[in-house]
Amino acid sequence: MKNIENNHLIFNKKKNKEIFGNINLTQIRNINEFQFYLTLIEKTYNIGFNMVNGYTNNILRVDLTSEKISIENSDDIFNRRYIGGEGFVAYYLLKELKVGIDSLSPENKLIFATGPLTGFAIPGAGRNSVGAKSPLTGGFGEAEVGGYWGAELKHAGFDAIIFEGKAKDPVYLWVHDGEAELRDASHLWGKITGEVQEKIHEELSDKYIRIAQIGPGGEKLVRYACIINDLRNAAGRTGMGAVMGSKKLKAIAVRGNRKQEVADKEKLRELLKLFNEEIQIRNAGYFEFGTGGDYMEEAASSGNLSFRNFRDGGFTNAKALDPRTIKETLGLEKDGCFACSIRCKKIIKIGDPWNVDAIYGGPEYETLGALGSNCGIDDVAAVCKANEICNKYSLDTISTGISIGFAMECYERGILTDKDTDGIKLNFGNSEAMVQMVKMISERDGLGDILAEGVKRAADKIKNGSDKFAMHVKGAEIPMHEPRLKQGLGLGYAISPTGAEHMTNLHDDTIAHSRVMTYHGPIGILEPLEMDDLSPRKVRALAYYTNWRYLFNALLMCYFVSWRYNHLTEIVQAVTGWNTSIWELMKAGERISTMARVFNIREGLTKDDDWLPDRFFEPHTSGALSETAIDPNKLKSAIQTYYKIMGWNENGMPTQAKLEELELEWVV
Amino acid sequence: MKNIENNHLIFNKKKNKEIFGNINLTQIRNINEFQFYLTLIEKTYNIGFNMVNGYTNNILRVDLTSEKISIENSDDIFNRRYIGGEGFVAYYLLKELKVGIDSLSPENKLIFATGPLTGFAIPGAGRNSVGAKSPLTGGFGEAEVGGYWGAELKHAGFDAIIFEGKAKDPVYLWVHDGEAELRDASHLWGKITGEVQEKIHEELSDKYIRIAQIGPGGEKLVRYACIINDLRNAAGRTGMGAVMGSKKLKAIAVRGNRKQEVADKEKLRELLKLFNEEIQIRNAGYFEFGTGGDYMEEAASSGNLSFRNFRDGGFTNAKALDPRTIKETLGLEKDGCFACSIRCKKIIKIGDPWNVDAIYGGPEYETLGALGSNCGIDDVAAVCKANEICNKYSLDTISTGISIGFAMECYERGILTDKDTDGIKLNFGNSEAMVQMVKMISERDGLGDILAEGVKRAADKIKNGSDKFAMHVKGAEIPMHEPRLKQGLGLGYAISPTGAEHMTNLHDDTIAHSRVMTYHGPIGILEPLEMDDLSPRKVRALAYYTNWRYLFNALLMCYFVSWRYNHLTEIVQAVTGWNTSIWELMKAGERISTMARVFNIREGLTKDDDWLPDRFFEPHTSGALSETAIDPNKLKSAIQTYYKIMGWNENGMPTQAKLEELELEWVV
């Protein structure tokens, strides 16, 4: 692990050497050492950690066609109304994109945005958002990503970057301390992410530069190509990497040391102390094993984990995929995002036969599911290898896994044959075949070229009834949470503007317990609701919670710290100085959700696109959900209730009054 | 002033003697002494002031017909959903009242409710709500009132009282320390409020008993009779005193010393310290002169103050009505509500010729306007006398003043003649005639009997085009804020479920200034809006602010402390222990507003009742608004926008989805 230990400290090592000395933070691996880590965080504040470049809102606009770079600013009202992140993405896409453009044409815009909290030493706030019209759905495209890049962009003096046009030859953008320049990337084109990072570090003589980039998957316009930060953090969904590839933009390298004060440093310090203490208790599991840790067996036995393309139940060897198992058999180190005390990110190094390189991290829960159980696979090392390839080539692991699961089902049903697969025995459970398919997708090789289009388009090409096995909503592949089990989440999949989406979604189990009033009282959810409930009360819970999550994607706070509504609001107040409240912030979330909806409508998506694959209206073939499915009539009714609660008409179009209420009369 | 100084201390003197010693709190009359008062408040906490009977929610149900008294309780979910005060009123009226009953029949119910903060030493929280089907509007009737009675009810062990049926002979209810009994009131019937208080104090041998009661105006079913607390605080609007009279319920006497802890005493103490400090700065004007102080001239010159039945402008002698003038010429003492450091209540004693008794207090801004300038009167002593009579006989001063102004206009136009007035020269500006009319209304004598029905019914009887001069919405007379000047408030008058209403309304001037973002950011109002703006942004501001105000009427906090959204929320948290937020509380406000709306719809009110008198579509005959009126088309459009923002259909009926969102599916 020698090769990475200097690279991914919680803070940038160079500028914090005087604080952290020679402490190797990747060594922290248990809950006692965690306390020590918290002390460091606290110490950081006490010596006045540079509160770097807060919320000045410098927006960098880069025209790749003309190579013109300019800087814009926004005022406080704009900032409060759209917040940042997904809010900025929604604003600029609606304001600036021509209707009906090809998402892979120069007319699309690619927006990287941070939030008002990004760049400060706040756990969970080390994220950034990327948005564009999606090549996968044809509608609103957006993904968030952790790591260090977003914080570094803030430290470099910028809140957001808007890319327009298309470069003649491959370029990368170099942003540093208030400046930005486009540089030739011809020598980097075709290279995998690890090589690109090494070369940029070399040519700019600074190994602390943070890089957001695409691998060959993005270059080859795999429709679900992602953008990779720091080699192992992915802005995964909706194909943002393909848009980046279409613009011949290989990477964005950032570095900076700009300083800025927060509105109320003392208050922030006090709030963060409490915050970190609570995180320590709440997220101990993530700290030890990362996502999916100690949960895989339960996920499988409850039916939540997809098994063989969401068809079957009864996956009995989920324990083999568990991060605890990884730790005990293959070894597991942990890493985190900027300033975050949760440290949920996995680092895995595996030798023969899979040879997994640690710099590309390890699989998240979604990846363990999509490329593991969803493909009928329990060989966790193979899944780790597939994950490594996805991060090298910049592929979204969820869409990749679902695409391969789809192909496996088609193969087993005879819709695809050995001729289609170039002889690969594409059965469920064949881990070599799975790994090989990941490579073929990333290179658009053979069947991989078809699967690189996503399951919706692949089924259109393959035909022969294969569309029945294409597990997607609006073209976006389904994540690893079973809508037959969590039916509110199923409704969320159906109505989400980015297609099947687990991040802005309600996870029904979080409101099914008796203490729901204590936890979710601030957003008015006072009574526990059953997982399979699709009544108006569940719809209301989804609507409220979804608005809160959109807000989080605008603030760019992590899902894992989203439970403390009031606390978070106070943190926003302390950083920005706004006299704000959960009401205003929830309304900002509703505003963003509504903007994404309006974007889809103008791009031609209709209420008919708000639906689930037929498979979810039938039970699993076996296991816990062998008698449970979604009732399509209940879903239909719940969708209408959702529309109305959101102030949309029966076609899912926000009413004029709702747009006016949200100060969005301009979007029409 | 000897006769009142022992009676209206901020806290009950007997139980706080050890704290306050012999300090006469009515002596505090300037800002320096205010600081001393704050010290007392603080000291109060430090020695552990009895946090009496918090939020146990004991609801007393009194069947006057059968004389059966019972106690009910409600759970925490109910309490969070409906909060208290106007929320409880709305709940019980919708749940228990038969549709279409006569408001003055035994089938109506009269509900007295406190809120979760009532009874604690929180400034602004010494209020209670009274509700029933309104004899004035035929719809939702509700009014709030300050003083000491609400706090004392809490201390006596009860959160609310529901009166049903009708007593055979006059009765009063005696509530003390968890017990309640009905007592004969035959000897009190026909008596004015001051005499009743004296007699009850005598017969129960306790002069610290707090009394809510009606005078002869309520007994005689004047449709806008109010309920008087502590002789000088009125639950004024919508005729709750007439409902009380119809039930032959003369008074409710309360006394108690029950204790209860708050959820977080330390936090509450800290919050209140800050709160009181801010109140000292914010409300210094109210502290010195009470409502209307130093404002009357501006009110008149801006056009905000009604002059001659909302017809004319150019009232030049408004200074004569100013509380500062009262203080300088007649003398002015100050009193307040339980635990409140604002102390906005006036105490006035005047000798010949008007002989105003100090125990009945002094006129509020609304009274100075309605019985003063609105009747063309600048004789402030006469207005004080009229105010005294209203408090003796329990008449709402706004409705009384508007009714007399209406009669004056009819008289001057020849629609009413000397024959109708029994020879009284009922011209604008005739103060003797005005005072005489107040008496006649309270006794239902001559023309007073017609005016006692309210201007809507009076115009129906008088005919001859008099309805053009009947200034009301839904039968409720217009308060002293000019809708032609504050057009958002005009919209609020039109749509309010209780008819023209200034308490749950937006006052446009409070959001017309540049610091609106700082103050109203928590509810998402970020930009100043012109007073005469009726655009969707103004409608949105009205809707949001109105929801907040409904919440205040449920918490039973005073309008004068409503500016600190987050602070107030924290106070609610500290008292109740709820993990709540402005979001949840705003939604509770929206819930209550929606319930009141639904109640009106089921009682037969329609969207046609959401409208203003024609007069407001024409300018004043002179003065600042001689060229300004409301554009009826803009109002019409704004009403539709309001409906939609509230989730109501084009007829103003809440949609099924909105009811479901607010967990009100049961009201249909």
Side-chain angles (χ1 to χ4, degrees):
Chain A
M1 213 144 289
K2 200 77 184 155
N3 57 338
I4 60 142
E5 69 183 13
N6 291 321
N7 200 19
H8 287 90
L9 301 185
I10 288 161
F11 302 104
N12 179 306
K13 199 169 185 179
K14 192 174 171 189
K15 64 187 172 197
N16 291 292
K17 205 170 180 184
E18 71 277 26
I19 310 171
F20 293 108
N22 291 316
I23 296 153
N24 182 342
L25 291 173
T26 59
Q27 298 297 325
I28 302 177
R29 65 194 71 178
N30 66 42
I31 206 72
N32 292 332
E33 290 173 19
F34 197 106
Q35 184 56 54
F36 177 64
Y37 169 74
L38 289 178
T39 312
L40 287 181
I41 289 268
E42 185 53 21
K43 194 175 162 195
T44 307
Y45 297 115
N46 285 341
I47 66 154
F49 174 65
N50 44 352
M51 291 287 183
V52 206
N53 191 46
Y55 201 30
T56 58
N57 243 14
N58 291 316
I59 297 162
L60 201 54
R61 191 179 287 272
V62 180
D63 184 333
L64 293 164
T65 309
S66 68
E67 299 190 353
K68 194 187 152 209
I69 298 177
S70 54
I71 297 174
E72 298 165 16
N73 303 108
S74 61
D75 67 15
D76 214 29
I77 289 179
F78 179 89
N79 295 343
R80 278 181 82 150
R81 201 168 276 149
Y82 304 108
I83 308 286
E86 191 161 11
F88 281 11
V89 165
Y91 176 82
Y92 286 106
L93 291 186
L94 273 172
K95 197 83 176 180
E96 300 190 357
L97 233 55
K98 271 192 284 182
V99 175
I101 57 155
D102 178 352
S103 59
L104 297 175
S105 76
E107 291 179 297
N108 203 355
K109 300 195 181 191
L110 183 68
I111 299 156
F112 291 75
T114 65
L117 308 185
T118 318
F120 297 109
I122 301 167
R127 295 171 77 77
N128 68 275
S129 162
V130 190
K133 179 171 173 176
S134 167
L136 201 56
T137 70
F140 187 73
E142 198 269 349
E144 310 87 46
V145 49
Y148 299 77
W149 186 90
E152 197 74 29
L153 179 65
K154 266 286 189 71
H155 300 177
F158 298 98
D159 296 79
I161 312 177
I162 303 169
F163 289 100
E164 310 178 328
K166 178 185 176 176
K168 201 171 155 231
D169 298 305
V171 291
Y172 74 93
L173 187 74
W174 166 222
V175 183
H176 51 103
D177 288 316
E179 289 173 30
E181 58 179 302
L182 284 167
R183 295 175 64 103
D184 178 49
S186 304
H187 60 302
L188 305 174
W189 204 248
K191 296 268 186 301
I192 59 168
T193 54
E195 290 170 11
V196 170
Q197 174 167 300
E198 205 176 322
K199 285 202 180 292
I200 290 178
H201 281 178
E202 267 170 31
E203 71 187 47
L204 298 174
S205 306
D206 184 349
K207 65 178 182 170
Y208 297 112
I209 288 167
R210 303 295 178 182
I211 299 166
Q213 60 168 316
I214 51 169
E219 296 173 17
K220 295 193 175 174
L221 311 181
V222 174
R223 282 191 186 267
Y224 44 81
C226 64
I227 295 169
I228 295 280
N229 287 6
D230 320 306
L231 303 186
R232 52 183 181 267
N233 304 298
R237 311 308 316 275
T238 69
M240 296 299 97
V243 177
M244 192 158 163
S246 76
K247 295 193 173 304
K248 288 216 189 291
L249 175 66
K250 181 66 174 169
I252 307 154
V254 296
R255 185 80 164 92
N257 274 291
R258 297 225 157 176
K259 289 197 184 195
Q260 186 175 312
E261 288 297 308
V262 294
D264 189 342
K265 201 191 257 190
E266 274 307 313
K267 180 77 181 168
L268 182 61
R269 190 172 291 161
E270 182 190 308
L271 288 163
L272 289 179
K273 189 166 184 297
L274 207 66
F275 203 43
N276 275 303
E277 280 165 11
E278 217 173 308
I279 282 170
Q280 184 183 4
I281 296 160
R282 281 247 183 181
N283 293 294
Y286 291 132
F287 181 81
E288 196 165 359
F289 302 116
T291 59
D294 264 352
Y295 171 64
M296 301 306 286
E297 264 195 310
E298 186 191 328
S301 65
S302 66
N304 193 41
L305 187 66
S306 172
F307 183 38
R308 297 190 196 122
N309 201 31
F310 283 97
R311 184 187 65 193
D312 301 339
F315 177 49
T316 52
N317 200 20
K319 199 175 180 181
L321 293 176
D322 200 287
R324 180 189 282 277
T325 308
I326 297 177
K327 187 167 185 173
E328 287 167 4
T329 59
L330 300 166
L332 174 66
E333 301 284 336
K334 296 302 302 306
D335 188 20
C337 299
F338 173 80
C340 188
S341 49
I342 298 177
R343 298 176 62 69
C344 68
K345 301 289 182 189
K346 301 176 185 77
I347 294 174
I348 291 168
K349 187 177 170 68
I350 304 178
D352 281 343
W354 291 113
N355 292 313
V356 175
D357 187 343
I359 61 170
Y360 298 103
E364 299 282 358
Y365 166 75
E366 297 295 329
T367 311
L368 291 163
L371 290 159
S373 61
N374 180 66
C375 294
I377 286 167
D378 60 11
D379 178 350
V380 76
V383 176
C384 291
K385 184 64 189 178
N387 179 70
E388 182 217 63
I389 299 168
C390 285
N391 287 351
K392 278 176 172 167
Y393 287 81
S394 72
L395 299 188
D396 174 34
T397 58
I398 298 173
S399 286
T400 304
I402 293 289
S403 296
I404 295 170
F406 159 78
M408 285 174 164
E409 182 156 6
C410 289
Y411 182 80
E412 291 202 346
R413 289 177 186 269
I415 298 170
L416 290 175
T417 63
D418 285 348
K419 203 182 141 208
D420 299 307
T421 64
D422 295 320
I424 296 169
K425 301 294 175 200
L426 206 52
N427 294 90
F428 282 120
N430 183 342
S431 51
E432 285 81 5
M434 181 274 289
V435 171
Q436 203 163 347
M437 280 314 303
V438 176
K439 279 183 199 148
M440 287 170 72
I441 290 169
S442 64
E443 301 281 8
R444 278 191 174 271
D445 183 14
L447 180 61
D449 190 36
I450 293 170
L451 297 181
E453 294 290 291
V455 293
K456 185 185 169 197
R457 287 176 178 81
D460 286 347
K461 279 194 189 167
I462 294 167
K463 299 196 175 68
N464 292 318
S466 61
D467 60 325
K468 283 205 294 286
F469 317 117
M471 303 307 289
H472 72 91
V473 176
K474 299 182 179 67
E477 286 75 13
I478 312 271
M480 294 298 105
H481 307 270
E482 173 58 69
R484 282 168 282 206
L485 179 70
K486 302 175 177 178
Q487 299 203 357
L489 170 125
L491 172 62
Y493 282 164
I495 52 83
S496 165
T498 52
E501 213 307 332
H502 66 291
M503 290 301 290
T504 53
N505 214 329
L506 177 75
H507 289 258
D508 302 59
D509 45 344
T510 63
I511 61 162
H513 52 71
S514 59
R515 283 175 303 170
V516 64
M517 180 158 79
T518 305
Y519 293 142
H520 297 289
I523 57 166
I525 306 174
L526 303 183
E527 286 171 299
L529 296 166
E530 295 294 329
M531 306 267 276
D532 62 354
D533 184 348
L534 271 178
S535 73
R537 297 220 169 177
K538 178 66 77 65
V539 179
R540 168 182 182 268
L542 174 71
Y544 287 4
Y545 191 73
T546 298
N547 289 342
W548 178 249
R549 294 289 303 130
Y550 272 99
L551 183 263
F552 254 56
N553 288 349
L555 290 174
L556 284 161
M557 286 294 275
C558 176
Y559 178 77
F560 293 153
V561 298
S562 67
W563 72 92
R564 290 262 286 168
Y565 300 91
N566 284 300
H567 200 101
L568 247 300
T569 305
E570 288 184 82
I571 288 176
V572 174
Q573 288 171 332
V575 171
T576 62
W578 297 338
N579 180 21
T580 187
S581 78
I582 296 182
W583 173 268
E584 192 197 4
L585 296 177
M586 285 280 282
K587 281 286 167 186
E590 186 184 347
R591 182 176 293 121
I592 297 162
S593 159
T594 302
M595 288 165 83
R597 182 83 193 173
V598 171
F599 184 85
N600 277 1
I601 290 169
R602 66 169 224 177
E603 297 301 325
L605 278 80
T606 71
K607 74 173 164 55
D608 297 337
D609 296 298
D610 293 343
W611 200 241
L612 293 176
D614 284 349
R615 174 154 282 175
F616 295 124
F617 307 124
E618 290 164 14
H620 285 175
T621 57
S622 56
L625 302 180
S626 63
E627 289 177 358
T628 306
I630 294 175
D631 178 337
N633 290 322
K634 283 188 184 166
L635 181 64
K636 206 168 185 176
S637 165
I639 287 171
Q640 282 298 322
T641 303
Y642 184 87
Y643 289 174
K644 300 293 165 49
I645 285 179
M646 292 297 287
W648 304 349
N649 70 16
E650 65 278 10
N651 294 315
M653 172 68 198
T655 63
Q656 180 66 21
K658 176 52 77 177
L659 294 177
E660 285 166 347
E661 185 204 331
L662 298 173
E663 304 174 296
L664 292 177
E665 56 288 338
W666 60 268
V667 306
V668 179
Chain B
M1 217 144 285
K2 200 77 185 153
N3 57 336
I4 59 141
E5 68 183 15
N6 292 320
N7 199 19
H8 287 91
L9 300 185
I10 288 163
F11 302 105
N12 180 305
K13 200 168 182 175
K14 192 174 172 189
K15 64 188 172 196
N16 291 293
K17 207 171 179 183
E18 72 276 25
I19 308 171
F20 294 108
N22 291 316
I23 297 154
N24 182 343
L25 291 173
T26 60
Q27 298 297 324
I28 301 177
R29 65 195 72 181
N30 65 44
I31 207 73
N32 290 333
E33 290 173 21
F34 196 106
Q35 185 54 53
F36 176 65
Y37 169 73
L38 289 180
T39 312
L40 287 181
I41 289 266
E42 185 53 21
K43 194 174 160 193
T44 307
Y45 297 116
N46 286 342
I47 67 156
F49 175 64
N50 44 352
M51 293 285 184
V52 207
N53 189 46
Y55 201 30
T56 57
N57 242 13
N58 290 316
I59 297 162
L60 201 54
R61 191 179 287 272
V62 181
D63 185 332
L64 294 165
T65 309
S66 68
E67 300 190 353
K68 193 189 153 210
I69 297 176
S70 55
I71 296 174
E72 298 166 13
N73 303 108
S74 62
D75 68 15
D76 215 27
I77 289 179
F78 179 89
N79 294 343
R80 277 182 81 150
R81 202 167 275 151
Y82 304 107
I83 308 287
E86 191 161 12
F88 281 11
V89 165
Y91 176 83
Y92 286 106
L93 291 186
L94 272 171
K95 198 81 176 181
E96 301 189 356
L97 233 54
K98 270 192 286 184
V99 176
I101 57 154
D102 178 351
S103 58
L104 297 176
S105 77
E107 291 179 297
N108 202 355
K109 300 196 180 188
L110 183 67
I111 300 156
F112 291 76
T114 65
L117 308 184
T118 317
F120 296 108
I122 300 167
R127 294 171 77 75
N128 69 276
S129 161
V130 190
K133 178 172 174 175
S134 167
L136 201 57
T137 69
F140 187 74
E142 197 268 350
E144 309 89 45
V145 50
Y148 299 76
W149 186 89
E152 197 73 29
L153 179 65
K154 266 285 188 73
H155 300 178
F158 298 99
D159 297 80
I161 311 176
I162 302 170
F163 289 99
E164 309 177 330
K166 179 184 175 177
K168 201 170 156 231
D169 298 303
V171 292
Y172 73 94
L173 186 73
W174 166 222
V175 184
H176 51 103
D177 288 315
E179 291 173 28
E181 57 180 303
L182 284 167
R183 295 174 65 102
D184 178 48
S186 304
H187 59 302
L188 305 174
W189 204 249
K191 296 267 186 302
I192 59 169
T193 53
E195 290 171 9
V196 169
Q197 174 168 300
E198 207 176 319
K199 283 200 181 295
I200 291 178
H201 281 178
E202 268 171 30
E203 73 186 45
L204 298 174
S205 306
D206 183 348
K207 65 179 179 168
Y208 299 111
I209 287 168
R210 304 294 179 180
I211 299 165
Q213 59 166 317
I214 51 169
E219 296 173 16
K220 295 192 172 172
L221 311 180
V222 174
R223 282 192 186 266
Y224 45 82
C226 63
I227 295 169
I228 295 281
N229 286 7
D230 320 305
L231 303 187
R232 53 182 180 268
N233 305 297
R237 310 307 316 275
T238 70
M240 297 298 96
V243 177
M244 193 158 163
S246 76
K247 297 193 171 304
K248 289 218 190 292
L249 176 65
K250 181 67 174 170
I252 307 153
V254 296
R255 186 78 164 92
N257 275 291
R258 296 226 156 174
K259 288 195 186 197
Q260 187 175 310
E261 288 298 308
V262 294
D264 189 342
K265 199 191 258 191
E266 275 308 312
K267 181 77 181 167
L268 183 61
R269 191 173 290 161
E270 183 189 307
L271 287 163
L272 290 179
K273 190 165 183 296
L274 207 66
F275 202 44
N276 276 304
E277 280 164 11
E278 219 175 308
I279 282 170
Q280 183 183 4
I281 297 161
R282 281 249 185 180
N283 294 294
Y286 291 133
F287 182 80
E288 196 165 358
F289 302 115
T291 58
D294 266 352
Y295 171 65
M296 300 307 285
E297 263 193 312
E298 186 192 329
S301 65
S302 67
N304 192 41
L305 188 65
S306 171
F307 182 37
R308 298 191 195 120
N309 201 32
F310 283 96
R311 184 185 66 193
D312 302 337
F315 176 49
T316 52
N317 199 21
K319 198 175 178 180
L321 294 175
D322 201 286
R324 180 189 282 276
T325 309
I326 298 177
K327 187 167 186 174
E328 289 167 3
T329 60
L330 301 166
L332 175 66
E333 300 285 335
K334 296 301 301 310
D335 188 20
C337 298
F338 173 80
C340 188
S341 48
I342 299 177
R343 298 177 62 69
C344 69
K345 301 291 183 188
K346 300 177 187 77
I347 294 173
I348 292 169
K349 186 177 171 68
I350 305 177
D352 282 342
W354 293 114
N355 293 313
V356 175
D357 188 342
I359 61 170
Y360 298 104
E364 299 282 358
Y365 166 76
E366 297 294 331
T367 311
L368 291 165
L371 291 159
S373 61
N374 179 66
C375 295
I377 286 167
D378 59 11
D379 178 351
V380 74
V383 176
C384 291
K385 184 64 190 178
N387 179 70
E388 181 217 63
I389 299 168
C390 286
N391 288 350
K392 278 176 173 168
Y393 286 80
S394 73
L395 299 188
D396 174 34
T397 58
I398 298 174
S399 287
T400 304
I402 293 287
S403 297
I404 296 171
F406 158 78
M408 285 175 163
E409 183 157 4
C410 290
Y411 183 79
E412 290 201 345
R413 289 178 185 269
I415 298 170
L416 289 175
T417 63
D418 286 348
K419 200 183 144 208
D420 299 307
T421 64
D422 295 321
I424 297 169
K425 302 294 175 198
L426 206 51
N427 294 89
F428 282 121
N430 185 342
S431 51
E432 285 80 6
M434 181 274 289
V435 172
Q436 204 163 348
M437 280 313 304
V438 175
K439 280 184 197 148
M440 288 168 72
I441 291 168
S442 64
E443 300 282 8
R444 277 191 174 268
D445 183 14
L447 180 61
D449 190 37
I450 293 171
L451 297 181
E453 293 291 291
V455 293
K456 187 185 168 197
R457 288 177 176 82
D460 287 347
K461 280 194 186 163
I462 294 167
K463 299 196 176 68
N464 292 317
S466 62
D467 59 326
K468 281 205 294 288
F469 317 116
M471 303 308 290
H472 72 90
V473 176
K474 299 181 178 69
E477 286 74 16
I478 313 271
M480 294 297 105
H481 306 268
E482 173 58 67
R484 281 168 283 205
L485 178 70
K486 302 174 176 177
Q487 300 203 358
L489 169 126
L491 171 63
Y493 282 165
I495 53 82
S496 165
T498 51
E501 214 303 337
H502 66 292
M503 290 303 288
T504 54
N505 214 327
L506 177 74
H507 289 259
D508 301 59
D509 45 344
T510 63
I511 62 161
H513 52 71
S514 60
R515 284 175 303 170
V516 65
M517 181 158 77
T518 306
Y519 293 142
H520 297 289
I523 58 165
I525 306 174
L526 304 183
E527 287 171 299
L529 296 166
E530 296 294 327
M531 306 266 275
D532 63 355
D533 185 348
L534 270 177
S535 73
R537 296 218 171 180
K538 178 65 75 68
V539 179
R540 167 182 182 269
L542 174 72
Y544 287 5
Y545 191 73
T546 298
N547 289 343
W548 178 248
R549 292 289 303 129
Y550 272 99
L551 182 263
F552 253 57
N553 289 348
L555 289 174
L556 284 162
M557 285 295 274
C558 176
Y559 177 78
F560 293 154
V561 298
S562 66
W563 72 93
R564 290 264 285 169
Y565 299 91
N566 285 300
H567 200 102
L568 246 302
T569 306
E570 287 184 83
I571 288 175
V572 174
Q573 288 171 332
V575 171
T576 62
W578 297 338
N579 180 21
T580 186
S581 77
I582 297 183
W583 173 269
E584 192 198 4
L585 295 178
M586 285 281 281
K587 281 287 167 186
E590 186 184 348
R591 182 176 293 121
I592 297 161
S593 159
T594 302
M595 290 164 83
R597 182 85 193 173
V598 170
F599 183 85
N600 277 0
I601 290 169
R602 64 169 228 178
E603 296 301 325
L605 279 79
T606 72
K607 75 173 161 58
D608 298 336
D609 295 298
D610 292 342
W611 200 241
L612 293 176
D614 285 348
R615 174 154 281 175
F616 295 124
F617 306 125
E618 290 164 15
H620 284 175
T621 55
S622 56
L625 301 180
S626 63
E627 290 177 357
T628 307
I630 293 175
D631 178 337
N633 291 321
K634 284 188 183 164
L635 180 65
K636 206 169 184 175
S637 165
I639 287 171
Q640 282 298 322
T641 303
Y642 183 88
Y643 288 174
K644 301 293 164 49
I645 285 178
M646 292 297 287
W648 303 350
N649 71 15
E650 65 278 9
N651 294 317
M653 173 69 198
T655 63
Q656 181 66 20
K658 174 53 76 177
L659 294 177
E660 284 167 347
E661 184 204 332
L662 298 173
E663 302 174 298
L664 293 176
E665 57 288 339
W666 60 269
V667 305
V668 179

